[in-house]
């Protein structure tokens, strides 16, 4: 769920939420960089707060796994995790924010110390998630969550009967990122998406009270498509972290080497590979888009926005000639809005 730079129309969290603190506020502010509106203005304030609460958890977990926390040492202290190691190499290897380093990130595998620290943070978040569900079950006996972005989950879990599974999957996806940097084939990548992408849509449906097996299946397709197109947008950024989300069998099929992905611009084989993966993402979106037509009102508009975000991102990738190495493919806001309106009207 790493953010891609495209402003959207979400509102800031409303009045009833606990103060997330400066670091938590920085995490929530990243909602404005997602491909789709996280908590759009047209939703009731309480619903926007619920979505921003879930987003805060998702973004916090991703930032912990990616080494993008605004205050890694402070987060570690909150969670009872040993402090990060002294910097000895690229800042991202130690869980430091990119702004704390000079020059571009080194295209290298994470250091053992950095990996151990990030895994410890994820374990700490897992324990704090236990506190969320313990407090929701029995506030008098359960310990309150330590991190300010997890505390608002307690009433959310209680009101909507949420289960730990989707939250734990998101944490597990980031654990996988610490040890898995390549994916053998498309099936293996989709298995990763069941951890990193599916839970987000399932949580949205659960919050709205519309989670049925049929809707969940379509939501999974949309979320997997969003994850894949985000990977296409972030090929260079991911490679700088030592990760490649393009399946190895597809690189071989198109004659693309890892050195080709590190080039300043994409040659013809890379562009053809990106086109192929973009077509796969479009197929998933087309398969999941009828989800929009199964609901009405503001939820329909919200789901249309999510789906349109995927189509707009794919259009942006196509718009740069599938050369995602030379420039970041940024969705056009007007195209996104027009596509969302069309999907809303057609129900797919």
């Amino acid at each position: 769920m790493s953010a891609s730079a495209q402003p959207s129309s979400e509102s800031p969290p409303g009045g009833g939420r606990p103060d997330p603190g400066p670091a938590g506020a920085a995490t929530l502010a990243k909602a404005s960089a997602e491909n789709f509106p996280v908590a759009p203005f047209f939703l009731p304030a309480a619903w926007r707060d619920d979505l921003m609460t879930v987003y805060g958890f998702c973004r916090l977990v991703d930032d912990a796994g990616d080494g993008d926390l605004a205050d890694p040492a402070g987060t570690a202290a909150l969670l009872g995790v040993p402090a990060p190691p002294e910097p000895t190499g690229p800042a991202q290897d130690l869980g430091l924010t990119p702004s704390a380093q000079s020059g571009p990130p080194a295209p290298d595998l994470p250091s053992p110390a950095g990996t151990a620290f990030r895994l410890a943070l994820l374990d700490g978040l897992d324990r704090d998630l236990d506190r969320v569900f313990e407090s929701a079950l029995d506030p008098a006996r359960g310990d309150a969550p330590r991190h300010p972005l997890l505390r608002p989950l307690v009433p959310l879990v209680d009101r909507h009967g949420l289960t730990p599974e989707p939250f734990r999957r998101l944490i597990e996806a980031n654990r996988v990122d610490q040890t898995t940097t390549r994916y053998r084939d498309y099936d293996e990548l989709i298995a990763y998406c069941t951890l990193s992408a599916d839970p987000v849509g399932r949580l949205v449906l659960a919050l709205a009270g519309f989670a049925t097996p049929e809707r969940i299946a379509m939501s999974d397709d949309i979320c997997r498509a969003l994850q894949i197109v985000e990977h296409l947008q972030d090929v260079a950024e991911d490679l700088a972290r030592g990760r490649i989300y393009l399946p190895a069998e597809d690189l071989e099929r198109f004659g693309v080497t890892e050195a080709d992905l590190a080039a300043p611009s994409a040659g013809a084989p890379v562009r053809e590979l990106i086109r192929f993966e973009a077509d796969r993402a479009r197929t998933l979106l087309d398969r999941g888009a009828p989800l929009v037509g199964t609901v009405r009102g503001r939820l329909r508009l919200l789901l249309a926005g999510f789906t349109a975000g995927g189509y707009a991102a794919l259009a942006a990738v196509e718009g740069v000639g599938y050369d995602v190495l030379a420039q970041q493919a940024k969705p056009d806001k007007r195209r996104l809005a027009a596509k969302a309106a069309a999907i809303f009207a057609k129900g797919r």
Side-chain angles (χ1 to χ4, degrees), residues 62-347:
D62 274 0
D63 285 353
D66 287 342
D68 286 340
L69 290 170
D71 182 10
T75 302
L78 274 173
L79 298 174
V81 171
E86 291 296 323
T88 56
Q92 75 272 22
D93 289 354
L94 302 181
L96 302 177
T97 177
S99 62
Q101 69 180 32
S102 59
D108 198 3
L109 294 177
S111 69
T115 297
F117 175 62
R118 288 194 295 276
L119 286 170
L121 282 175
L122 294 169
D123 288 346
L125 288 169
D126 208 348
R127 290 191 294 272
D128 221 26
L129 185 63
D130 286 339
R131 298 183 190 100
V132 167
F133 283 89
E134 289 166 2
S135 295
L137 185 63
D138 188 349
R141 297 183 60 184
D143 292 334
R146 297 179 180 180
H147 198 286
L149 288 179
L150 269 73
R151 291 172 199 150
L153 284 176
V154 176
L156 199 67
V157 165
D158 185 53
R159 283 199 308 273
H160 298 284
L162 302 181
T163 66
E165 181 188 13
F167 298 100
R168 295 210 189 283
R169 284 194 185 191
L170 292 167
I171 294 174
E172 185 59 27
N174 280 272
R175 287 197 183 102
V176 169
D177 278 336
Q178 309 313 309
T179 57
T180 302
T181 60
R182 305 291 187 274
Y183 290 84
R184 182 178 63 252
D185 52 33
Y186 184 66
D187 288 343
E188 197 170 272
L189 181 65
I190 290 297
Y192 169 73
C193 289
T194 65
L195 300 175
S196 64
D198 293 6
V200 178
R202 294 182 180 209
L203 284 168
V204 170
L205 290 176
L207 291 177
F210 280 88
T212 65
E214 295 79 9
R215 290 191 180 104
I216 287 171
M218 289 184 282
S219 171
D220 288 349
D221 283 334
I222 292 172
C223 291
R224 292 169 190 181
L226 293 174
Q227 180 78 87
I228 289 171
V229 71
E230 188 175 284
H231 288 158
L232 299 182
Q233 292 173 295
D234 295 342
V235 169
E237 178 183 334
D238 290 334
L239 187 61
R241 299 180 187 275
R243 301 175 190 163
I244 296 176
Y245 291 102
L246 302 167
E249 71 172 12
D250 296 343
L251 269 71
E252 183 177 356
R253 172 180 177 179
F254 287 91
V256 173
T257 67
E258 294 191 13
D260 293 330
L261 300 180
S265 63
V270 173
R271 292 196 302 272
E272 286 304 309
L273 169 61
I274 298 301
R275 182 198 295 269
F276 176 73
E277 304 299 350
D279 287 345
R280 277 178 158 170
R282 189 179 301 278
T283 297
L284 287 171
L285 273 178
D286 290 345
R287 200 162 69 197
L291 171 65
V292 178
T294 70
V295 297
R296 295 290 181 268
R298 295 178 182 181
L299 178 61
R300 180 170 175 141
L301 190 54
L302 178 66
L303 296 180
F306 287 161
T307 308
Y311 283 116
L314 284 170
V317 170
E318 182 180 4
V320 298
Y322 301 99
D323 185 357
V324 294
L325 305 182
Q327 56 185 309
Q328 188 175 38
K330 299 180 180 180
D332 180 85
K333 291 192 334 185
R334 289 173 297 181
R335 184 189 292 268
L336 192 159
K339 187 66 175 178
I343 293 172
F344 178 83
K346 296 178 181 178

Side-chain angles (χ1 to χ4, degrees), residues 6-71:
Q6 171 58 37
S8 59
S9 57
E10 68 286 338
S11 301
R17 305 182 73 253
D19 182 2
T27 298
L28 292 174
K30 294 183 180 182
S32 63
E34 300 291 352
N35 277 331
F36 47 85
V38 172
F41 69 92
F42 56 78
L43 295 178
W47 198 355
R48 292 201 305 271
D49 281 353
D50 287 354
L51 289 172
M52 285 302 293
T53 294
V54 169
Y55 177 80
F57 174 85
C58 296
R59 184 75 268 170
L60 175 65
V61 171
D62 274 0
D63 285 353
D66 287 342
D68 286 340
L69 290 170
D71 182 10

